[in-house]
Amino acid sequence: MRKMVLAALPLGLMTLTACGNKAEPEPETVEAPVLMKAGEWTLTRKTTGYNTPTVTPAEYQAALKQTSEDKSCIAVDAGGLPDPNALAGAEGKDCSYKDKLIHKGRLIATLACKAGKGTSEIALEGNFTADTLTLGSTMTRTEGGQPVLRTTHDLTGKRTGECAKG
């Protein structure tokens, strides 16, 4: 019994000395979260891809020349997520977030929307600051369970001020 106590003694001392020699860890600096500001935004969508089951090369080339600009009053929720309908633009309405990841100025999300006689699913990925955003978007419109249109866009935005009082 005496030998066992003596054998355990060095272990106990090593543990104590190891604990005493550790330097205090540096406190981690907490970065302020990047949050998009609600307000009046100008959103520009440049078509980068357009595909339907019957698209012709001429229709495809014409679609690639399309750029639209919308001014929207965008609400941002407490978690920093912008209004999904504003991000969807003309590609969907009554949209909701199907899934989302928002972290340090990065947004990765999928929107589920109504579109015409069917639905659209819009995948978004990109970066934002308090008053700018740059997202890539891929929309797939489905009618009767069949995909009928797929588009891709570069979506950029700039906050231009507060929303007009209505």
Side-chain angles (χ1 to χ4, degrees):
M1 175 92 169
R2 188 176 200 185
K3 287 182 183 178
M4 195 157 69
V5 171
L6 288 176
L9 190 60
L11 267 178
L13 286 175
M14 283 191 328
T15 307
L16 287 174
T17 24
C19 288
N21 289 339
K22 272 191 177 173
E24 284 287 318
E26 290 293 319
E28 286 187 36
T29 55
V30 178
E31 291 181 40
V34 177
L35 295 175
M36 198 172 146
K37 280 187 182 175
E40 185 75 32
W41 283 72
T42 299
L43 299 175
T44 304
R45 282 180 178 72
K46 169 138 182 38
T47 303
T48 56
Y50 182 87
N51 194 3
T52 69
T54 59
V55 70
T56 66
E59 289 171 327
Y60 182 78
Q61 289 304 317
L64 292 184
K65 293 178 180 153
Q66 291 181 356
T67 299
S68 67
E69 187 173 285
D70 299 310
K71 292 192 185 308
S72 298
C73 183
I74 299 179
V76 177
D77 73 10
L81 288 168
D83 174 24
N85 292 301
L87 297 180
E91 295 193 313
K93 61 180 184 182
D94 299 330
C95 298
S96 61
Y97 284 97
K98 188 173 171 184
D99 57 53
K100 61 200 170 288
L101 172 68
I102 189 167
H103 184 66
K104 292 185 179 182
R106 184 111 180 109
L107 173 66
I108 301 170
T110 305
L111 306 179
C113 307
K114 293 178 183 171
K117 297 181 236 170
T119 60
S120 65
E121 187 171 283
I122 303 169
L124 300 166
E125 183 171 354
N127 300 307
F128 64 90
T129 65
D131 53 8
T132 64
L133 67 85
T134 304
L135 301 173
S137 97
T138 301
M139 184 277 299
T140 303
R141 183 174 297 156
T142 306
E143 290 178 5
Q146 297 298 310
V148 295
L149 176 63
R150 173 167 280 170
T151 62
T152 56
H153 292 92
D154 288 337
L155 174 62
T156 56
K158 181 152 183 58
R159 186 175 184 278
T160 56
E162 298 302 320
C163 293
K165 301 277 185 226

